[in-house]
Amino acid sequence: LMVGRRTMAACMACIAVSHAFMLAPVSRIENLRTDGLSRGHLCQHRRFPGIVELRASASAETEKVGWWDSPKRAVESDGGMRARNLKFWLQEEHGIDFSVVDIRDSPLEGLGTFAVADVKGGEVVFEVPKSCCIYPELVFEDRQLGKTMKKLADVVGAGIEVIALATFLAREKMMGTQSSYQPYIEVLPWDTALHPLLWTEPEVDLLQGTYAYDQVQDFRHQVDAATQLFEPVLNPQGWKAVFQPMESERMSSEAFGFLMRGAFASVLSRAFDSDLGASSGGESGLEQRVLIPLMDSFNHDNDGNPSIKFDATITQKTGHKVVVTAAEGGVRAGEEMAGFYGNKPNWQMLANYGFVSTNPECQEATLEDSLCSSDALYARKAELVARLGLSPSSQLFDLQVTQEPSELLFAYQRIAVISDPQELDGAEKAGEGPLAPVNEKRALARLQTLLDTRRKFIAEAKDTALKAGEQGQETRVRRSVATTVADLLDSEAAAVKSLERRIQIRMAELE
């Protein structure tokens, strides 16, 4: 496929994809197929004789499992088969030492990484070589994808990394046992809807009114654009399939779309920033998105106390490996080791990793505010807020539980409540503090009214989500998804309540 022959619309769509994913956070998720999941049978893996494979057969086509009835995670219901296959592959093919670590079902979600012996702080838990990792330059050198990806990279820039990794994962998944990464590919989240990229439309609609909704919808539209661009390469239809060099089953465009969403969800939730894939062997200091098997099996510690440490930057001193060590307190045998994905706001945690954190650092709400356009003083007020770097309409403010709100939020209120033109003369100092006691009381009252409206919306949205989850298949909303949405809304409610307490304190100081 020559990128120059693609339509301008498709190329521009992929530019949007690259920009959206350029700054997207990284490190875990899953795939949903509404047309049913084939049951599989066990067979010997062609590339790795010691590995047992779960593969769909032609005879299994008559034995469908609806998406609603599919297990939460295949890795949670396969008796540990995929975990054992991954371990065998990492040990035998890539020489990873499992003397103090094991991978198995986690009580939290999916697979987890467990200590099988006591590990002191600072001691090496394991090392991951470059040979088993997936990185952009690997895709650029790929015989099937490389030429197209390089041409696209010239157009879209740095954001190509996520596109490249996701497209590679989709291709490897389609290859099945022909893929040299098959044991790793099989533990990725293809089989359920833990990530919003894989939710049903009614489930995504439950997020409306939150910033997460805008982010998820943006991701989904952009992934669909990338899917349209790369389907002719990976899943050609009709006579074009005759010239397809890859041995894989053809699938419908709808099924291929779900496959690509699963691939992008995996990259968004599991990739790390590392220079491991750099052509200079890690000496340049330039970081790229990289998929690092085993290291991406660590679940998130909500309290910010990870039991492991690592530096994804590699040098000749590390032997071009990522070295994972135990944190200061060490790890006891039998404990599940945890990583830390960062204190990102929960709308971002959900959009990238597919879950909501209970850590107060992540509890955040987004408050939207606008000046009254029919106000006789609107033009002058709009000029004042613009000087503060704010917008007179649809201005967003972040509210966080653990941090004081921006003084600009209060400045916006002070300007908004001015009714006397003479008061505008000193309003340019609204960002420095209260203009006058009367103005400050009116500003705080206006802000409280905004919070009352937001609190009411949150309560109604949570009630709608939980009721939809109870109705189940009638609404195409799973209970687990409804609960996740409710958790996100509870997180917003906590941020709103936190600001309300601060307003009460300011009001009391004015009395």
Side-chain angles (χ1 to χ4, degrees):
L1 172 69
M2 297 293 290
V3 173
R5 295 178 184 175
R6 303 302 300 164
T7 64
M8 179 62 72
C11 288
M12 292 303 293
C14 270
I15 292 176
V17 173
S18 72
H19 290 167
F21 294 128
M22 194 179 301
L23 299 177
V26 283
S27 215
R28 207 189 272 280
I29 314 200
E30 277 127 277
N31 199 357
L32 166 71
R33 286 189 53 185
T34 56
D35 58 344
L37 299 169
S38 298
R39 296 190 187 273
H41 69 276
L42 297 178
C43 66
Q44 201 71 12
H45 193 289
R46 294 185 224 173
R47 292 183 56 87
F48 311 107
I51 291 177
V52 175
E53 183 205 358
L54 181 65
R55 186 175 66 184
S57 65
S59 61
E61 286 302 310
T62 58
E63 198 176 1
K64 294 285 187 177
V65 180
W67 67 271
W68 196 272
D69 301 316
S70 62
K72 179 182 179 183
R73 286 289 307 271
V75 294
E76 295 174 350
S77 59
D78 66 356
M81 180 186 66
R82 286 172 174 80
R84 291 193 296 271
N85 286 349
L86 177 62
K87 181 178 179 180
F88 180 90
W89 178 68
L90 293 173
Q91 281 181 314
E92 299 300 319
E93 292 287 315
H94 302 285
I96 294 182
D97 182 5
F98 278 84
S99 59
V100 298
V101 68
D102 193 17
I103 45 177
R104 57 177 184 265
D105 290 354
S106 167
L108 299 176
E109 186 269 316
L111 296 180
T113 308
F114 295 80
V116 296
D118 291 344
V119 186
K120 296 180 180 178
E123 289 186 347
V124 174
V125 178
F126 59 80
E127 300 175 340
V128 183
K130 179 179 179 178
S131 60
C132 65
C133 300
I134 301 174
Y135 44 91
E137 289 196 4
L138 179 72
V139 185
F140 296 148
E141 296 168 2
D142 185 81
R143 185 173 62 179
Q144 183 188 20
L145 297 174
K147 189 174 181 180
T148 301
M149 208 63 68
K150 286 178 180 178
K151 288 182 176 293
L152 190 59
D154 292 338
V155 179
V156 303
I160 191 65
E161 294 175 9
V162 173
I163 300 172
L165 294 180
T167 306
F168 186 86
L169 289 183
R171 194 276 304 277
E172 296 298 301
K173 176 67 172 176
M174 294 177 71
M175 288 179 67
T177 57
Q178 295 295 320
S179 170
S180 59
Y181 292 91
Q182 198 261 354
Y184 174 61
I185 297 297
E186 287 304 311
V187 301
L188 295 178
W190 307 97
D191 52 342
T192 186
L194 208 61
H195 193 280
L197 276 179
L198 305 165
W199 288 4
T200 65
E201 293 300 330
E203 288 170 341
V204 173
D205 287 344
L206 294 177
L207 294 172
Q208 286 192 43
T210 71
Y211 197 66
Y213 177 78
D214 297 332
Q215 184 70 78
V216 171
Q217 285 289 65
D218 196 30
F219 278 173
R220 286 165 69 99
H221 291 321
Q222 292 156 354
V223 171
D224 289 345
T227 300
Q228 180 183 6
L229 185 62
F230 284 99
E231 183 174 12
V233 181
L234 299 180
N235 191 45
Q237 303 295 326
W239 62 269
K240 295 180 181 179
V242 175
F243 302 99
Q244 174 70 344
M246 184 179 69
E247 293 185 23
S248 65
E249 293 185 10
R250 300 291 169 261
M251 57 179 65
S252 67
S253 292
E254 181 184 16
F256 180 76
F258 279 117
L259 180 73
M260 286 290 283
R261 285 191 180 186
F264 273 91
S266 293
V267 175
L268 283 174
S269 61
R270 303 180 80 103
F272 296 86
D273 285 328
S274 172
D275 65 350
L276 185 147
S279 58
S280 59
E283 302 301 323
S284 67
L286 297 176
E287 292 190 338
Q288 299 176 317
R289 295 293 174 84
V290 178
L291 289 164
I292 307 176
L294 188 57
M295 206 169 87
D296 61 4
S297 296
F298 291 109
N299 279 306
H300 172 68
D301 184 276
N302 277 323
D303 298 325
N305 298 312
S307 48
I308 56 96
K309 297 189 299 182
F310 66 89
D311 185 351
T313 301
I314 66 167
T315 63
Q316 291 182 352
K317 185 181 295 186
T318 66
H320 301 301
K321 297 177 180 179
V322 175
V323 180
V324 178
T325 58
E328 185 176 347
V331 186
R332 293 183 179 181
E335 287 184 3
E336 179 174 0
M337 292 180 281
F340 183 57
Y341 300 0
N343 288 326
K344 303 174 181 66
N346 268 326
W347 64 261
Q348 201 170 22
M349 297 291 279
L350 178 61
N352 287 276
Y353 306 124
F355 67 88
V356 174
S357 173
T358 57
N359 191 326
E361 294 280 351
C362 300
Q363 293 177 331
E364 180 177 304
T366 302
L367 193 65
E368 183 176 333
D369 198 0
S370 299
L371 299 178
C372 178
S373 59
S374 60
D375 187 342
L377 303 177
Y378 176 79
R380 293 187 63 187
K381 290 182 178 181
E383 182 181 350
L384 287 170
V385 298
R387 290 179 186 176
L388 296 173
L390 305 174
S391 171
S393 63
S394 301
Q395 173 63 49
L396 298 179
F397 295 98
D398 293 331
L399 313 179
Q400 296 174 286
V401 170
T402 58
Q403 295 185 23
E404 288 290 333
S406 169
E407 191 62 29
L408 292 176
L409 170 62
F410 296 101
Y412 202 92
Q413 310 307 312
R414 292 165 188 149
I415 294 172
V417 298
I418 290 176
S419 57
D420 187 345
Q422 294 183 352
E423 295 180 36
L424 291 173
D425 295 336
E428 66 273 2
K429 296 182 179 180
E432 300 175 11
L435 298 176
V438 174
N439 174 273
E440 190 69 4
K441 287 184 178 180
R442 292 176 61 195
L444 293 175
R446 181 180 187 276
L447 181 55
Q448 182 60 60
T449 300
L450 288 176
L451 294 180
D452 290 341
T453 301
R454 187 63 187 173
R455 191 183 341 99
K456 181 180 179 181
F457 162 80
I458 291 172
E460 293 176 350
K462 179 180 177 181
D463 184 60
T464 298
L466 294 177
K467 286 182 178 178
E470 291 174 359
Q471 295 174 10
Q473 295 192 49
E474 296 179 17
T475 57
R476 286 172 52 81
V477 173
R478 279 151 293 193
R479 191 184 298 271
S480 60
V481 172
T483 300
T484 298
V485 174
D487 290 342
L488 176 68
L489 293 167
D490 283 341
S491 175
E492 285 211 22
V496 169
K497 186 175 182 179
S498 176
L499 179 55
E500 287 180 322
R501 287 195 294 267
R502 290 182 169 94
I503 290 176
Q504 291 171 3
I505 293 174
R506 293 197 180 206
M507 278 289 197
E509 292 174 347
L510 292 171
E511 296 300 332

